[in-house]
Amino acid sequence: MKNSELKGNLLLMLTALIWGCAFVAQSVSMDYIGPFTFQSVRSLLGAAVLVPVFLILDAGKKKAGTYQAPTGEEKKTLLIAGIVCGCIMTVAANLQQIGIQYTSAGKAGFITAMYILIVPVLGLFLKKKVPGRIWLCILIAVVGLYLLSVTEGFSSISKGDVYVLLCALAFSFHIMAVDHYAPLVDGVRLSSIQFLICGVLSGILMFLFEEPNLENILNAAVPILYAGIMSCGVAYTLQIIGQKYTRPTIASLIMSLESVFAVLAGIVVLREIPTARETMGCVLMFLAIIIAQLPSRREQAK
């Protein structure tokens, strides 16, 4: 393995660790504030943190002589992309935050990762074929989800897990939207705008359904700062740098460790010890996620 590839892998591993620990921050924040308040403040902070990131990247391009000022049409596309992705993110992020109130951080991490399997299925509506191994992975993941989330009496699933599962579906639409717009616009600017939109919309929901209190927000300052600065700003930047040196398939596999780190962080910080049945569910879901991202023989032959 080349030194540059090792560097990329380590940066992406750190990215997955930061994102996994963010589930703990999200869980802890619910002791002080409501889900809409958390998402509003965190997202607005994330949008602000990313501004110096794209300014620094622009400065680097100008120094290298590769910078090109966006045209009016490109600015319009960026704005539309930010609004579309931001609206979908608002739905997904708040469903996740509501669900975390009623389930563990580790379970939320694994259920959210189901988007990796949902996206190919949604591709059917765009007349894209779903490889046979994806259907196998979905079957394995469903069994894992059953073991992880359905009660010991095998009769019901917690409402927290239902919210997070709906969040995974919403994030699947978000990924498809980003996949459509990302080649057309600057990625960091798109991320900053979508966080801004999410923050504003979540703020409206905050004033409609919650009673935001500055003292409570300050009490939740540590998890908010972690989620806003580390999860949005630092991790996103590390992902951009890491993916420059790592092959896409390897990058996606490494970042899948986010769900594993969510469980480990939940155990260490929150003392959320999974049962043997829940552990087996996590193992099956992670196995499905990994297999789904492995390249097919056709892709390996290219």
Side-chain angles (χ1 to χ4, degrees):
M1 180 185 294
K2 297 179 180 178
N3 288 335
S4 59
E5 188 173 353
L6 176 61
K7 173 185 175 182
N9 291 351
L10 291 175
L11 289 176
L12 292 174
M13 184 79 72
L14 182 56
T15 300
L17 175 61
I18 293 172
W19 282 340
C21 292
F23 283 95
V24 171
Q26 291 176 250
S27 180
V28 171
S29 69
M30 292 297 91
D31 294 336
Y32 306 99
I33 55 178
F36 299 131
T37 301
F38 174 83
Q39 284 300 337
S40 178
V41 180
R42 175 259 185 107
S43 297
L44 291 174
L45 180 59
V49 168
L50 285 173
V51 172
V53 174
F54 66 68
L55 291 178
I56 291 171
L57 291 174
D58 284 352
K61 292 177 182 177
K62 289 177 181 177
K63 187 176 181 180
T66 58
Y67 176 78
Q68 290 184 336
T71 64
E73 188 64 28
E74 288 173 336
K75 290 179 180 178
K76 180 181 177 182
T77 302
L78 175 62
L79 181 60
I80 293 173
I83 292 173
V84 171
C85 294
C87 288
I88 302 173
M89 174 179 277
T90 301
V91 176
N94 283 296
L95 281 171
Q96 184 186 69
Q97 196 63 31
I98 293 170
I100 283 177
Q101 293 180 104
Y102 309 106
T103 192
S104 69
K107 288 171 72 174
F110 268 96
I111 297 172
T112 300
M114 284 285 287
Y115 67 78
I116 293 172
L117 302 176
I118 297 174
V119 169
V121 176
L122 292 178
L124 288 172
F125 296 99
L126 300 177
K127 297 182 179 180
K128 294 183 179 180
K129 292 183 179 180
V130 178
R133 79 175 188 282
I134 296 297
W135 292 114
L136 173 62
C137 291
I138 290 172
L139 177 61
I140 295 172
V142 168
V143 174
L145 180 64
Y146 184 83
L147 293 174
L148 180 65
S149 301
V150 178
T151 60
E152 292 290 349
F154 297 95
S155 58
S156 64
I157 182 172
S158 78
K159 65 178 181 180
D161 293 347
V162 172
Y163 276 119
V164 180
L165 189 57
L166 291 173
C167 141
L169 177 60
F171 268 128
S172 299
F173 285 105
H174 179 261
I175 288 170
M176 295 177 74
V178 171
D179 184 63
H180 172 74
Y181 286 112
L184 307 176
V185 299
D186 180 86
V188 185
R189 280 182 168 81
L190 171 60
S191 188
S192 183
I193 293 173
Q194 71 174 359
F195 277 126
L196 175 62
I197 297 297
C198 180
V200 171
L201 294 179
S202 296
I204 294 172
L205 295 172
M206 172 184 71
F207 285 111
L208 286 176
F209 299 105
E210 297 173 358
E211 297 179 1
N213 180 290
L214 181 58
E215 182 181 354
N216 291 337
I217 293 174
L218 292 176
N219 287 334
V222 173
I224 289 174
L225 288 171
Y226 181 90
I229 296 175
M230 296 299 293
S231 183
C232 298
V234 175
Y236 186 82
T237 304
L238 291 175
Q239 179 193 9
I240 292 173
I241 298 171
Q243 285 191 274
K244 289 182 179 179
Y245 305 105
T246 303
R247 287 169 290 170
T249 301
I250 301 300
S252 61
L253 289 173
I254 293 174
M255 287 188 289
S256 297
L257 292 172
E258 170 190 358
S259 55
V260 176
F261 286 131
V263 171
L264 295 177
I267 293 173
V268 173
V269 180
L270 303 177
R271 298 294 187 267
E272 295 176 344
I273 311 298
T275 64
R277 185 161 159 271
E278 289 173 339
T279 301
M280 180 56 68
C282 289
V283 169
L284 287 175
M285 292 182 72
F286 188 62
L287 178 64
I289 291 167
I290 293 298
I291 295 175
Q293 296 176 95
L294 293 175
S296 64
R297 291 182 180 179
R298 179 181 297 179
E299 290 170 334
Q300 289 176 328
K302 289 182 180 180

